[in-house]
């Protein structure tokens, strides 16, 4: 017979007989009511059964945790400490079965025996017959040495053997296993584990190896060093020395060539103390950045009724008033653009950047799109009127020096880039009075575009972008425009069904060659992207597609287990400019279908931002997580997932505490 169970929480003690489940959560109707912003209204239950009590998570947004492990269902014996939620807003309870007070506290299983190879045993006694050396793991937190007794768990969760406190790292990211033939690294994350820029799912570690968690270049770095005998290590070092000696002659020769070339170049080009080579090495100069700032503009789309509908950014690229931006800013209806919650504007108000960094842009002109490519999400605007609607002579416009155009094909991973634009996070006040925002980062990698057929469909960077940055410039260290700030969620992990967080995606400038050529010849408002024909018809969305809003998380790692609705929205404690994530479960959506997520304030009218893309997963059930930067001055957000021509598939409301 199952015994009674006692719960100690918040300084109180509750005892329950084994006659039914014990409900735990923030709801006043729960049997054990807990406070805490990350505790769900119906968070978990204690369920009696023939074999005893079980702890069952009830689909909470922030999880139920035992000994640092997130659990869905776990049998209980003795005394168990349970944490509901995460961070400072979590709640901790002690669950005790009657008669178990003197028993040792059990530990939640940290290894799934079914997932281990036959040579491993889950109780930590090691792999029979294993001949692998020990393993040294070096990280920014220090060095740790491990023997052959058990796997080494790596992730963001506290309590793991290697804890990587970095948002790009999954809670349980990877596993190092001592097998009979040596140490093996296994990836278990959504964001990936990388060696030499290549994503790996499993790799034998036979020599010192540097791995990146979460991103090929901007992830969390670990060095894995198999600990071999001193004799073996000496031989390996000697071998590496011989290889370096053979390469050194060529290296010295190359250095001499560069030195001679550098001297010759300096003699020919230098007419004083200004050495061009030194200028290049100095990176982006203040003058180059000031020029790019001045050429950046704030765009406000105005509807036929004279009311603003959405905002974006752009770059002045000619003296006669051509502005490069995104199609979803300038002409959302462009073929190939996909579903959009916004209609085409009657015009776009062009606000010029002010010299003072703390002053908002000054509305000066009106512009209209003259050519757009919906698939590439690029558009060129032409200034036609002043801010009051009076016609202007394009030959006499009072504009800053145009943004110089660079060559995006020359970019390499690791190159510095600077993004400019007017995101909503640039000013804590609501409305359209925003100063220019400048953020810096590096080229992390390049995203392939299958439709265009190029390995450089997007520049993937770690620069910080927000809603309103769309269409703004990213520049290189020469102050040249090399990318158009476009999206932050397009990069995906197709194997795991998760939208990558932390990547800013820029359309390379070289993909804009066609629209720029047309714009310089006067434009073509009827131009259609040649790539749009390869996309599925938005009207072909199957009727059996379904979507569910699964609540919000602070890290995008909730696993789509939460629930929320318009009648019972989730609540969360947030701060302005904090990034949070709306989670959805989507089923039956064909690959290539246009999709979008719009963020709307609780009043149902105020637009807080939007993102658009095409579905890149297969039609099976997928969990996706979409980032959102919290603006100031609003008390909540509803994330609306729409498909095709704008059909709403799921809603995900949240109220801010």
């Amino acid at each position: 017979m199952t015994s009674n169970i006692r719960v100690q929480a918040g300084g109180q003690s509750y005892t329950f007989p084994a006659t039914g489940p014990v409900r735990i959560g923030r709801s006043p109707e729960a049997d054990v009511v807990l406070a805490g912003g990350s505790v769900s209204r119906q968070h978990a239950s204690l369920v009696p059964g023939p074999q005893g009590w079980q702890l069952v998570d009830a689909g909470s947004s922030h999880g139920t945790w035992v000994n640092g492990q997130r659990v869905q269902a776990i049998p209980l014996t003795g005394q168990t400490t349970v944490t509901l939620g995460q961070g400072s807003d979590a709640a901790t309870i002690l669950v005790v079965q009657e008669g178990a007070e003197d028993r040792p506290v059990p530990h939640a299983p940290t290894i799934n025996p079914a997932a281990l190879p036959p040579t491993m045993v889950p109780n930590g006694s090691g792999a029979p017959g294993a001949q692998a050396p020990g393993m040294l793991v070096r990280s920014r937190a220090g060095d740790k040495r491990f023997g052959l007794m058990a796997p080494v768990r790596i992730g963001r969760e506290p309590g793991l053997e290697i804890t990587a406190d970095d948002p790009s790292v999954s809670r349980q990211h990877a596993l190092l296993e001592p097998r009979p033939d040596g140490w093996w690294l296994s990836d278990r994350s959504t964001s990936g584990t990388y060696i030499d820029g290549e994503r790996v799912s499993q790799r034998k570690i036979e020599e010192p190896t540097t791995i990146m968690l979460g991103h090929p270049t901007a992830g969390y770095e670990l060095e894995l060093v198999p600990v071999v005998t001193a004799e073996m290590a000496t031989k390996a070092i000697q071998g590496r020395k011989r290889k370096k000696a053979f390469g050194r002659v060529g290296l010295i020769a190359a250095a001499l060539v560069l030195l001679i070339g550098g001297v010759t170049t300096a003699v020919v080009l230098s007419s004083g103390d200004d050495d061009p080579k030194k200028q290049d090495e100095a990176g982006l100069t203040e003058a180059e950045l000031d020029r790019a700032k001045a050429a950046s503009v704030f765009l406000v789309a105005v509807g036929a009724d004279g009311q603003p509908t959405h905002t974006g950014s752009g770059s002045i690229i000619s003296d006669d008033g051509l502005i490069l931006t995104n199609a979803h800013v300038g002409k959302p209806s462009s073929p190939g653009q996909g579903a959009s919650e916004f209609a085409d504007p009657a015009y776009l108000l062009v606000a010029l950047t002010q010299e003072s960094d703390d002053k908002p842009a000054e509305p000066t002109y009106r512009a209209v799109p003259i050519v757009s490519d919906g698939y590439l999400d690029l558009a060129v605007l032409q200034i036609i009127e002043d801010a009051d609607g009076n016609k202007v002579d394009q030959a006499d416009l009072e504009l800053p020096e145009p943004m110089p155009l660079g060559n995006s094909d020359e970019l390499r991973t690791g190159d510095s880039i600077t993004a400019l634009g007017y995101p909503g996070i640039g000013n804590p006040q609501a409305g359209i009075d925003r100063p220019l925002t400048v953020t810096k980062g590096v080229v992390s990698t390049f995203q392939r575009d299958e439709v265009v057929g190029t390995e450089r469909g997007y520049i993937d960077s770690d620069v910080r972008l927000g809603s309103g940055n769309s269409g703004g410039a990213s520049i290189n260290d020469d102050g040249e425009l090399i990318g158009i700030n476009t999206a932050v969620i397009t990069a995906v992990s197709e194997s795991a069904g998760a939208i990558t967080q932390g990547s800013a995606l820029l359309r390379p400038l070289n993909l804009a060659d066609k629209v720029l050529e047309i714009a310089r010849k006067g434009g073509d408002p009827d131009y259609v992207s040649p790539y749009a024909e390869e996309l599925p018809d938005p009207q072909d969305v199957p009727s059996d597609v379904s979507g569910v809003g699964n609540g919000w998380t602070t890290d995008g790692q909730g696993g789509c287990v939460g629930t929320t609705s318009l009648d019972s929205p989730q609540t969360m404690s947030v701060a302005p400019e904090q990034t949070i994530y709306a989670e959805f479960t989507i089923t039956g959506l064909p690959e290539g279908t246009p999709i979008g997520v719009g963020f709307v304030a609780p009043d149902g009218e105020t637009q807080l931002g939007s993102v658009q893309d095409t579905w890149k997963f297969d039609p099976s059930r997928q969990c996706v997580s979409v980032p959102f930067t919290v603006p100031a001055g609003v008390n909540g957000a509803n994330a609306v997932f729409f498909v095709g021509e704008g059909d709403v598939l799921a809603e995900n409301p949240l109220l801010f505490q």
Side-chain angles (χ1 to χ4, degrees):
M1 180 177 178
T2 302
S3 61
N4 294 344
I5 198 161
R6 180 159 51 87
V7 179
Q8 297 179 8
Q12 300 186 52
S13 181
Y14 310 82
T15 300
F16 302 95
T19 56
V22 177
R23 299 167 299 172
I24 305 171
R26 199 160 35 82
S27 170
E29 299 176 358
D31 300 303
V32 178
V33 180
L34 301 175
S38 67
V39 178
S40 297
R41 291 175 60 84
Q42 298 181 22
H43 197 108
S45 295
L46 301 173
V47 182
Q51 305 302 319
W53 288 87
Q54 268 199 328
L55 171 67
V56 179
D57 184 90
S60 65
S61 297
H62 297 279
T64 301
W65 305 78
V66 176
N67 289 328
Q69 303 293 310
R70 186 167 185 169
V71 298
Q72 296 297 325
I74 183 175
L76 298 172
T77 58
Q79 306 177 53
T80 306
T81 300
V82 180
T83 300
L84 299 96
Q86 291 181 281
S88 59
D89 290 333
T92 301
I93 64 174
L94 179 67
V95 181
V96 183
Q97 293 198 56
E98 278 191 354
E101 286 82 354
D102 296 328
R103 302 178 201 166
V105 178
H107 290 276
T110 58
I111 301 174
N112 177 8
L116 295 172
T119 56
M120 297 298 299
V121 290
N123 63 5
S125 60
Q131 300 299 317
M135 177 64 69
L136 175 68
V137 180
R138 289 175 169 160
S139 72
R140 66 185 70 164
D143 295 353
K144 288 188 177 181
R145 188 185 296 262
F146 300 93
L148 308 178
M149 301 307 293
V152 177
R153 300 164 300 164
I154 303 170
R156 204 174 69 251
E157 269 185 16
L160 300 184
E161 284 75 27
I162 297 294
T163 301
D165 186 15
D166 190 288
S168 66
V169 179
S170 297
R171 289 195 180 97
Q172 297 195 31
H173 195 104
L175 189 71
L176 271 172
E177 300 175 288
R179 301 181 184 177
D181 61 339
W183 284 88
W184 283 80
L185 172 70
S186 300
D187 177 65
R188 297 187 173 182
S189 69
T190 58
S191 52
T193 298
Y194 300 85
I195 297 178
D196 294 330
E198 176 187 356
R199 182 167 183 169
V200 298
S201 58
Q202 194 173 79
R203 179 70 62 87
K204 186 177 180 181
I205 306 299
E206 299 180 279
E207 61 181 1
T209 303
T210 299
I211 67 172
M212 304 295 289
L213 307 179
H215 199 280
T217 58
Y220 189 94
E221 182 176 326
L222 294 177
E223 185 180 6
L224 311 180
V225 183
V227 182
V228 298
T229 64
E231 181 180 359
M232 293 176 63
T234 300
K235 289 181 179 179
I237 293 171
Q238 289 173 345
R240 287 195 292 272
K241 284 183 177 179
R242 284 194 294 271
K243 291 180 182 179
K244 288 183 179 179
F246 288 131
R248 188 173 295 127
V249 175
L251 180 63
I252 293 173
L256 289 173
V257 172
L258 290 174
L259 181 60
I260 294 171
V263 171
T264 304
T265 302
V267 171
V268 173
L269 298 180
S270 179
S271 58
D273 295 333
D274 295 330
D275 186 338
K277 181 175 177 62
K278 291 181 180 179
Q279 290 180 356
D280 289 343
E281 292 175 349
L284 184 67
T285 66
E286 183 177 350
E288 290 166 343
L289 179 57
D290 286 344
R291 179 181 59 189
K293 286 181 177 180
S296 297
V297 297
F298 180 37
L299 300 173
V300 181
V302 180
D305 59 358
Q307 297 300 311
T309 59
H310 59 279
T311 67
S313 304
S315 303
I316 297 171
I317 57 172
S318 74
D319 291 321
D320 60 355
L322 294 181
I323 297 172
L324 181 61
T325 186
N326 281 138
H328 74 258
V329 174
K331 191 176 181 181
S333 69
S334 302
Q337 179 58 200
S340 175
E341 64 194 282
F342 302 118
D344 287 351
Y347 63 88
L348 292 104
L349 192 62
V350 179
L352 300 183
T353 301
Q354 301 299 291
E355 290 186 10
S356 177
D357 288 341
D358 57 359
K359 288 187 177 180
E362 180 69 26
T364 310
Y365 296 108
R366 294 182 181 184
V368 295
I370 58 173
V371 60
S372 62
D373 186 312
Y375 178 77
L376 293 177
D377 201 0
L378 298 171
V380 179
L381 314 179
Q382 173 69 66
I383 292 176
I384 59 170
E385 299 170 340
D386 65 19
D388 297 322
N390 303 307
K391 294 291 183 181
V392 294
D393 186 341
Q394 293 162 359
D396 294 329
L397 295 174
E398 297 181 2
L399 295 174
E401 181 182 353
M403 185 93 68
L405 305 184
N407 183 355
S408 59
D409 286 343
E410 294 180 351
L411 285 176
R412 301 182 62 189
T413 54
D415 283 355
S416 298
I417 55 176
T418 301
L420 303 97
Y422 286 87
I425 59 175
N427 192 320
Q429 298 180 353
I432 61 174
D433 288 342
R434 302 178 190 172
L436 180 71
T437 297
V438 178
T439 56
K440 292 181 178 290
V442 298
V443 176
S444 302
T445 186
F446 299 96
Q447 299 285 346
R448 176 169 175 78
D449 190 312
E450 298 288 349
V451 176
V452 179
T454 176
E455 298 295 333
R456 293 187 175 223
Y458 281 104
I459 302 165
D460 186 331
S461 169
D462 62 350
V463 292
R464 176 171 170 255
L465 300 182
S467 297
N469 264 120
S470 291
S474 278
I475 60 176
N476 60 18
D477 275 352
D478 293 324
E480 299 169 331
L481 192 156
I482 45 82
I484 297 88
N485 306 330
T486 300
V488 292
I489 68 164
T490 305
V492 298
S493 168
E494 299 188 13
S495 61
I499 294 177
T500 301
Q501 63 194 64
S503 288
L505 298 180
L506 327 169
R507 272 297 188 191
L509 178 67
N510 288 17
L511 292 183
D513 284 348
K514 184 64 175 178
V515 295
L516 291 175
E517 177 186 356
I518 294 172
R520 291 175 181 131
K521 293 179 179 179
D524 180 3
D526 297 323
Y527 175 79
V528 175
S529 171
Y531 309 111
E533 298 178 356
E534 302 185 37
L535 300 176
D537 189 334
Q539 297 180 345
D540 292 339
V541 178
S543 58
D544 59 349
V545 172
S546 64
V548 176
N550 295 114
W552 297 65
T553 66
T554 57
D555 59 3
Q557 301 286 331
C560 290
V561 296
T563 58
T564 186
S565 67
L566 293 175
D567 293 331
S568 181
Q570 180 184 344
T571 59
M572 179 185 291
S573 178
V574 299
E577 299 194 24
Q578 179 181 354
T579 299
I580 56 179
Y581 301 83
E583 296 194 336
F584 297 89
T585 300
I586 307 298
T587 305
L589 193 60
E591 185 175 0
T593 301
I595 63 169
V597 177
F599 299 97
V600 186
D603 61 14
E605 297 180 359
T606 304
Q607 305 288 337
L608 303 178
S610 67
V611 290
Q612 298 170 55
D613 198 7
T614 53
W615 187 252
K616 294 185 173 64
F617 306 126
D618 60 45
S620 62
R621 181 179 183 274
Q622 301 287 357
C623 170
V624 297
S625 177
V626 187
F628 172 72
T629 300
V630 177
V634 295
N635 61 353
N638 184 17
V640 181
F641 194 107
F642 53 93
V643 298
E645 295 184 322
D647 295 332
V648 174
L649 194 61
E651 296 188 64
N652 199 346
L654 172 69
L655 295 179
F656 302 153
Q657 290 184 333

PDB file of all heavy atoms in Angstrom, residues 230-244:
ATOM      1  N   ALA A 230      53.829   9.860 -20.632  1.00  0.00           N
ATOM      2  CA  ALA A 230      54.824  10.888 -20.947  1.00  0.00           C
ATOM      3  C   ALA A 230      55.594  10.530 -22.212  1.00  0.00           C
ATOM      4  O   ALA A 230      55.922  11.391 -23.030  1.00  0.00           O
ATOM      5  CB  ALA A 230      55.783  11.065 -19.772  1.00  0.00           C
ATOM      6  N   GLU A 231      55.882   9.224 -22.395  1.00  0.00           N
ATOM      7  CA  GLU A 231      56.630   8.794 -23.582  1.00  0.00           C
ATOM      8  C   GLU A 231      55.842   9.080 -24.859  1.00  0.00           C
ATOM      9  O   GLU A 231      56.369   9.600 -25.834  1.00  0.00           O
ATOM     10  CB  GLU A 231      56.939   7.303 -23.471  1.00  0.00           C
ATOM     11  CG  GLU A 231      57.752   6.774 -24.659  1.00  0.00           C
ATOM     12  CD  GLU A 231      58.030   5.279 -24.512  1.00  0.00           C
ATOM     13  OE1 GLU A 231      57.603   4.699 -23.495  1.00  0.00           O
ATOM     14  OE2 GLU A 231      58.652   4.706 -25.420  1.00  0.00           O
ATOM     15  N   MET A 232      54.546   8.756 -24.829  1.00  0.00           N
ATOM     16  CA  MET A 232      53.705   8.996 -26.010  1.00  0.00           C
ATOM     17  C   MET A 232      53.575  10.491 -26.283  1.00  0.00           C
ATOM     18  O   MET A 232      53.610  10.944 -27.425  1.00  0.00           O
ATOM     19  CB  MET A 232      52.328   8.369 -25.811  1.00  0.00           C
ATOM     20  CG  MET A 232      52.335   6.849 -25.763  1.00  0.00           C
ATOM     21  SD  MET A 232      50.693   6.174 -25.397  1.00  0.00           S
ATOM     22  CE  MET A 232      49.756   6.742 -26.814  1.00  0.00           C
ATOM     23  N   ALA A 233      53.431  11.289 -25.229  1.00  0.00           N
ATOM     24  CA  ALA A 233      53.297  12.730 -25.412  1.00  0.00           C
ATOM     25  C   ALA A 233      54.572  13.324 -25.995  1.00  0.00           C
ATOM     26  O   ALA A 233      54.528  14.192 -26.869  1.00  0.00           O
ATOM     27  CB  ALA A 233      52.963  13.389 -24.081  1.00  0.00           C
ATOM     28  N   THR A 234      55.739  12.830 -25.544  1.00  0.00           N
ATOM     29  CA  THR A 234      57.013  13.336 -26.056  1.00  0.00           C
ATOM     30  C   THR A 234      57.145  13.045 -27.543  1.00  0.00           C
ATOM     31  O   THR A 234      57.564  13.897 -28.330  1.00  0.00           O
ATOM     32  CB  THR A 234      58.182  12.697 -25.288  1.00  0.00           C
ATOM     33  OG1 THR A 234      58.057  13.035 -23.904  1.00  0.00           O
ATOM     34  CG2 THR A 234      59.511  13.211 -25.820  1.00  0.00           C
ATOM     35  N   LYS A 235      56.777  11.821 -27.948  1.00  0.00           N
ATOM     36  CA  LYS A 235      56.853  11.470 -29.368  1.00  0.00           C
ATOM     37  C   LYS A 235      55.943  12.359 -30.201  1.00  0.00           C
ATOM     38  O   LYS A 235      56.292  12.799 -31.292  1.00  0.00           O
ATOM     39  CB  LYS A 235      56.477  10.005 -29.560  1.00  0.00           C
ATOM     40  CG  LYS A 235      57.516   9.026 -29.032  1.00  0.00           C
ATOM     41  CD  LYS A 235      57.081   7.586 -29.296  1.00  0.00           C
ATOM     42  CE  LYS A 235      58.126   6.602 -28.797  1.00  0.00           C
ATOM     43  NZ  LYS A 235      57.696   5.185 -29.026  1.00  0.00           N
ATOM     44  N   ALA A 236      54.757  12.644 -29.694  1.00  0.00           N
ATOM     45  CA  ALA A 236      53.816  13.479 -30.443  1.00  0.00           C
ATOM     46  C   ALA A 236      54.363  14.889 -30.611  1.00  0.00           C
ATOM     47  O   ALA A 236      54.260  15.498 -31.680  1.00  0.00           O
ATOM     48  CB  ALA A 236      52.468  13.509 -29.733  1.00  0.00           C
ATOM     49  N   ILE A 237      54.979  15.424 -29.530  1.00  0.00           N
ATOM     50  CA  ILE A 237      55.547  16.770 -29.598  1.00  0.00           C
ATOM     51  C   ILE A 237      56.701  16.811 -30.590  1.00  0.00           C
ATOM     52  O   ILE A 237      56.829  17.742 -31.393  1.00  0.00           O
ATOM     53  CB  ILE A 237      56.002  17.228 -28.208  1.00  0.00           C
ATOM     54  CG1 ILE A 237      54.787  17.417 -27.291  1.00  0.00           C
ATOM     55  CG2 ILE A 237      56.805  18.525 -28.296  1.00  0.00           C
ATOM     56  CD1 ILE A 237      55.145  17.669 -25.847  1.00  0.00           C
ATOM     57  N   GLN A 238      57.554  15.789 -30.555  1.00  0.00           N
ATOM     58  CA  GLN A 238      58.677  15.754 -31.489  1.00  0.00           C
ATOM     59  C   GLN A 238      58.186  15.706 -32.931  1.00  0.00           C
ATOM     60  O   GLN A 238      58.744  16.341 -33.821  1.00  0.00           O
ATOM     61  CB  GLN A 238      59.564  14.546 -31.182  1.00  0.00           C
ATOM     62  CG  GLN A 238      60.342  14.695 -29.883  1.00  0.00           C
ATOM     63  CD  GLN A 238      61.085  13.431 -29.504  1.00  0.00           C
ATOM     64  OE1 GLN A 238      60.812  12.346 -30.042  1.00  0.00           O
ATOM     65  NE2 GLN A 238      62.026  13.552 -28.583  1.00  0.00           N
ATOM     66  N   GLY A 239      57.122  14.936 -33.163  1.00  0.00           N
ATOM     67  CA  GLY A 239      56.567  14.876 -34.509  1.00  0.00           C
ATOM     68  C   GLY A 239      56.057  16.228 -34.967  1.00  0.00           C
ATOM     69  O   GLY A 239      56.263  16.634 -36.115  1.00  0.00           O
ATOM     70  N   ARG A 240      55.399  16.942 -34.071  1.00  0.00           N
ATOM     71  CA  ARG A 240      54.899  18.270 -34.432  1.00  0.00           C
ATOM     72  C   ARG A 240      56.050  19.238 -34.686  1.00  0.00           C
ATOM     73  O   ARG A 240      55.976  20.101 -35.558  1.00  0.00           O
ATOM     74  CB  ARG A 240      53.979  18.804 -33.337  1.00  0.00           C
ATOM     75  CG  ARG A 240      52.625  18.107 -33.294  1.00  0.00           C
ATOM     76  CD  ARG A 240      51.640  18.903 -32.469  1.00  0.00           C
ATOM     77  NE  ARG A 240      51.970  18.927 -31.059  1.00  0.00           N
ATOM     78  CZ  ARG A 240      51.558  18.012 -30.177  1.00  0.00           C
ATOM     79  NH1 ARG A 240      50.819  16.998 -30.582  1.00  0.00           N
ATOM     80  NH2 ARG A 240      51.879  18.102 -28.904  1.00  0.00           N
ATOM     81  N   LYS A 241      57.144  19.119 -33.918  1.00  0.00           N
ATOM     82  CA  LYS A 241      58.300  19.992 -34.132  1.00  0.00           C
ATOM     83  C   LYS A 241      58.903  19.774 -35.513  1.00  0.00           C
ATOM     84  O   LYS A 241      59.287  20.710 -36.200  1.00  0.00           O
ATOM     85  CB  LYS A 241      59.362  19.736 -33.052  1.00  0.00           C
ATOM     86  CG  LYS A 241      59.030  20.346 -31.693  1.00  0.00           C
ATOM     87  CD  LYS A 241      60.154  20.103 -30.711  1.00  0.00           C
ATOM     88  CE  LYS A 241      59.864  20.770 -29.364  1.00  0.00           C
ATOM     89  NZ  LYS A 241      60.950  20.524 -28.391  1.00  0.00           N
ATOM     90  N   ARG A 242      58.974  18.484 -35.947  1.00  0.00           N
ATOM     91  CA  ARG A 242      59.533  18.202 -37.263  1.00  0.00           C
ATOM     92  C   ARG A 242      58.678  18.832 -38.356  1.00  0.00           C
ATOM     93  O   ARG A 242      59.179  19.409 -39.313  1.00  0.00           O
ATOM     94  CB  ARG A 242      59.642  16.689 -37.475  1.00  0.00           C
ATOM     95  CG  ARG A 242      60.806  16.052 -36.723  1.00  0.00           C
ATOM     96  CD  ARG A 242      61.070  14.648 -37.222  1.00  0.00           C
ATOM     97  NE  ARG A 242      59.960  13.753 -36.915  1.00  0.00           N
ATOM     98  CZ  ARG A 242      59.847  13.055 -35.792  1.00  0.00           C
ATOM     99  NH1 ARG A 242      60.780  13.151 -34.864  1.00  0.00           N
ATOM    100  NH2 ARG A 242      58.819  12.252 -35.596  1.00  0.00           N
ATOM    101  N   LYS A 243      57.352  18.734 -38.191  1.00  0.00           N
ATOM    102  CA  LYS A 243      56.457  19.339 -39.183  1.00  0.00           C
ATOM    103  C   LYS A 243      56.638  20.853 -39.230  1.00  0.00           C
ATOM    104  O   LYS A 243      56.645  21.458 -40.296  1.00  0.00           O
ATOM    105  CB  LYS A 243      55.005  19.001 -38.853  1.00  0.00           C
ATOM    106  CG  LYS A 243      54.660  17.535 -39.063  1.00  0.00           C
ATOM    107  CD  LYS A 243      53.203  17.281 -38.719  1.00  0.00           C
ATOM    108  CE  LYS A 243      52.868  15.797 -38.894  1.00  0.00           C
ATOM    109  NZ  LYS A 243      51.449  15.526 -38.533  1.00  0.00           N
ATOM    110  N   LYS A 244      56.805  21.486 -38.067  1.00  0.00           N
ATOM    111  CA  LYS A 244      56.991  22.933 -38.029  1.00  0.00           C
ATOM    112  C   LYS A 244      58.308  23.330 -38.683  1.00  0.00           C
ATOM    113  O   LYS A 244      58.398  24.336 -39.373  1.00  0.00           O
ATOM    114  CB  LYS A 244      56.955  23.440 -36.588  1.00  0.00           C
ATOM    115  CG  LYS A 244      55.565  23.409 -35.955  1.00  0.00           C
ATOM    116  CD  LYS A 244      55.600  23.979 -34.560  1.00  0.00           C
ATOM    117  CE  LYS A 244      54.222  23.984 -33.925  1.00  0.00           C
ATOM    118  NZ  LYS A 244      54.237  24.527 -32.545  1.00  0.00           N
TER     119      LYS A 244
END
